[in-house]
Amino acid sequence: MGSPSFRIGDATITRIDEIPLAHGSPAELYPDIDPEAADRHRGRVSPGSLHPETGAISLGIHSWLVRTPHHTILIDTATGNGKERPTVPLMHRLDVPYLQRLAAAGVRPEDVDHVLITHVHADHVGWNTRLVDGRWVPTFPNARHHVSSVEQRYGESLTDPSAGGFRPDPALGTPRHPPLDGVYQDSVRPVLDAGLADLVSVDGGEVLDGISFHPAPGHSIDHAVIRLRSRGEEALFAGDVMHHPLQVCEPGWNSRYCEFPEPARASRRWLLEQAAESGALVLPGHFAESSAGRVTRRGDRFDWTFA
């Protein structure tokens, strides 16, 4: 079976898989919840995402390939092979056929002309680079890499104390934890050094025709939801505003990886309201099954249906 594909106006969107993920229970991903909290939603979340008997949840790591009449675009680039991530064993020194899967979709690395990054976390920027002769070099040598200027400055400040002492906006609150160490150094800085990065203001402005970055901070310091509009249709690439359909049922749940808890909740609510109002196709970074779907609203409650 091929990877899921979707059509939005003149654009074709295809999922490029990296690795599957699973948690024995929702409390492993959402540590602040009552361990039994997900039980009441088993009838609302499909069995492919929430096992009806064991309560285990399924997720994945993937990229979104977007082909328009003018561009070949990757939205987020998963984890990457050979990255040193010893504190996250599932991501440590991967060796997976991600580029072969991209090739099976008809795209070589040199064909990609834009890489759009929702946020600078390990499983969203990893394939920006690959190891060649002991050096991390850009995987997509002809692509402009669009990344938040705030995320870039924050990443630089955490790795280089002489970089100007950039600190989060106090309005975000106290961060629960910093981004994973090493990610900026091996997956972002080499792209900057190669002159392939375009730093983005996440303010709703277009970066390409019909494509814009919208502020959804909280999971990371300047997380973006990327909107695609084409011929009256709309898609929202949600990154990690939500990790699992359970968060459609429970927008207040934050994952253990959310850095700024209260803004993360506000951004999730904003996304759900936008998606329900517009009818946009929503494409998160970690949902299982088709990984894409639509949000509907009934009063104060939201529901998710896979596309």
Side-chain angles (χ1 to χ4, degrees), residues 3 17 23 57 90 102 113 123 125 136 169 174 180 201 206 211 216 237 246-247 255 290:
S3 296
D17 290 327
H23 288 277
I57 59 175
L90 281 170
L102 186 63
D113 55 2
D123 49 343
V125 298
W136 293 108
D169 182 344
T174 302
L180 191 65
S201 295
E206 285 195 348
I211 297 178
F237 296 89
L246 278 168
Q247 287 172 287
S255 80
S290 71

Coordinates of all heavy atoms in Angstrom, one line a residue, residues 3 17 23 57 90 102 113 123 125 136 169 174 180 201 206 211 216 237 246-247 255 290:
S3 N 1.8 5.4 0.3 CA 1.6 6.4 1.3 C 0.3 7.2 1.0 O 0.0 7.4 -0.1 CB 2.8 7.4 1.4 OG 3.9 6.7 1.8
D17 N 6.8 8.5 5.3 CA 7.0 7.9 6.6 C 8.4 7.8 7.0 O 9.3 7.6 6.2 CB 6.3 6.5 6.6 CG 4.8 6.6 6.5 OD1 4.2 7.5 7.1 OD2 4.2 5.7 6.0
H23 N 2.6 4.2 22.4 CA 2.7 4.3 23.9 C 1.8 3.3 24.5 O 0.7 3.1 24.0 CB 2.4 5.7 24.3 CG 3.5 6.7 24.0 ND1 4.6 7.0 24.7 CD2 3.6 7.6 22.9 CE1 5.3 7.9 24.2 NE2 4.7 8.3 23.1
I57 N -1.9 3.8 22.6 CA -2.1 4.8 21.6 C -1.0 4.6 20.5 O 0.1 4.3 20.8 CB -2.1 6.2 22.1 CG1 -0.8 6.6 22.9 CG2 -3.3 6.4 23.0 CD1 -0.8 8.0 23.3
L90 N 14.3 5.9 20.9 CA 13.6 5.6 19.6 C 14.2 6.4 18.5 O 14.0 6.1 17.3 CB 12.1 5.9 19.8 CG 11.3 4.9 20.4 CD1 9.9 5.4 20.7 CD2 11.1 3.6 19.6
L102 N 11.0 8.7 -0.1 CA 10.8 9.9 -0.8 C 11.0 9.6 -2.3 O 10.2 10.1 -3.2 CB 11.8 10.9 -0.4 CG 11.7 12.4 -1.0 CD1 10.4 13.0 -0.6 CD2 12.9 13.2 -0.5
D113 N 12.7 22.0 -3.6 CA 13.2 23.4 -3.7 C 12.8 24.3 -2.5 O 13.3 25.4 -2.3 CB 12.7 24.1 -5.0 CG 11.3 24.1 -5.3 OD1 10.5 23.5 -4.4 OD2 10.9 24.5 -6.3
D123 N 12.5 15.7 15.9 CA 11.8 14.8 14.9 C 11.1 15.7 13.9 O 10.2 15.2 13.2 CB 10.8 14.0 15.7 CG 9.9 14.7 16.7 OD1 10.3 15.8 17.0 OD2 8.9 14.2 17.1
V125 N 13.3 18.3 12.2 CA 14.4 19.0 11.4 C 15.5 18.0 11.0 O 16.5 18.4 10.3 CB 15.0 20.2 12.1 CG1 13.9 21.2 12.4 CG2 15.6 19.7 13.5
W136 N 28.0 17.0 9.0 CA 26.6 17.1 8.7 C 26.5 18.1 7.5 O 26.8 19.3 7.7 CB 25.9 17.5 9.9 CG 25.9 16.5 11.0 CD1 26.5 16.5 12.1 CD2 25.1 15.2 10.9 NE1 26.3 15.3 12.9 CE2 25.4 14.5 12.1 CE3 24.3 14.6 10.0 CZ2 24.9 13.3 12.4 CZ3 23.8 13.4 10.3 CH2 24.1 12.7 11.5
D169 N 10.1 35.3 25.4 CA 9.1 36.3 25.8 C 8.5 36.0 27.1 O 8.0 34.9 27.3 CB 8.1 36.5 24.7 CG 7.0 37.6 25.0 OD1 7.0 38.1 26.1 OD2 6.3 37.9 24.0
T174 N 7.2 30.4 32.1 CA 8.4 29.7 32.4 C 8.5 28.4 31.6 O 7.5 27.6 31.7 CB 8.5 29.3 33.9 OG1 8.5 30.5 34.6 CG2 9.8 28.6 34.2
L180 N 15.8 19.6 22.9 CA 16.8 18.5 23.1 C 18.1 19.0 22.6 O 18.3 19.6 21.5 CB 16.3 17.3 22.3 CG 17.1 16.0 22.5 CD1 16.9 15.5 23.9 CD2 16.6 15.0 21.5
S201 N 9.4 35.4 9.8 CA 8.6 36.0 10.9 C 7.2 35.2 10.9 O 6.5 35.3 9.9 CB 8.3 37.5 10.7 OG 9.5 38.2 10.8
E206 N 2.6 35.5 3.9 CA 3.0 34.4 2.9 C 4.5 34.3 2.8 O 5.2 35.3 2.7 CB 2.3 34.7 1.6 CG 0.9 34.4 1.5 CD 0.3 34.3 0.1 OE1 1.1 34.7 -0.9 OE2 -0.8 33.8 -0.1
I211 N 1.0 30.0 0.7 CA 1.6 29.3 1.9 C 2.0 30.3 2.9 O 2.8 31.3 2.6 CB 2.7 28.4 1.5 CG1 2.2 27.3 0.6 CG2 3.4 27.8 2.7 CD1 3.3 26.3 0.1
A216 N 1.6 29.7 16.6 CA 0.9 28.7 17.5 C 2.0 28.2 18.5 O 2.3 27.1 18.6 CB 0.4 27.5 16.7
F237 N -1.1 22.5 8.2 CA 0.0 21.6 8.7 C 0.2 21.9 10.1 O 0.8 23.0 10.4 CB 1.2 21.7 7.8 CG 0.9 21.3 6.4 CD1 0.5 22.2 5.4 CD2 1.1 19.9 6.0 CE1 0.2 21.8 4.1 CE2 0.8 19.5 4.7 CZ 0.4 20.5 3.7
L246 N -6.7 12.2 20.7 CA -7.2 12.5 22.0 C -7.2 14.0 22.4 O -8.0 14.4 23.2 CB -6.4 11.7 23.1 CG -6.8 10.2 23.2 CD1 -5.7 9.5 24.1 CD2 -8.2 10.1 23.9
Q247 N -6.3 14.7 21.8 CA -6.2 16.1 22.1 C -7.3 16.9 21.5 O -7.5 18.1 21.8 CB -4.8 16.7 21.8 CG -3.7 16.2 22.8 CD -2.4 16.6 22.3 OE1 -1.8 16.0 21.4 NE2 -1.8 17.6 23.0
S255 N 1.4 17.4 25.9 CA 2.4 16.3 25.9 C 3.6 16.6 26.8 O 3.8 17.7 27.2 CB 2.9 16.0 24.5 OG 3.9 16.9 24.1
S290 N -4.4 7.6 8.6 CA -4.1 8.4 7.4 C -3.3 9.6 7.7 O -2.7 10.3 6.9 CB -5.4 8.8 6.7 OG -6.0 9.8 7.4

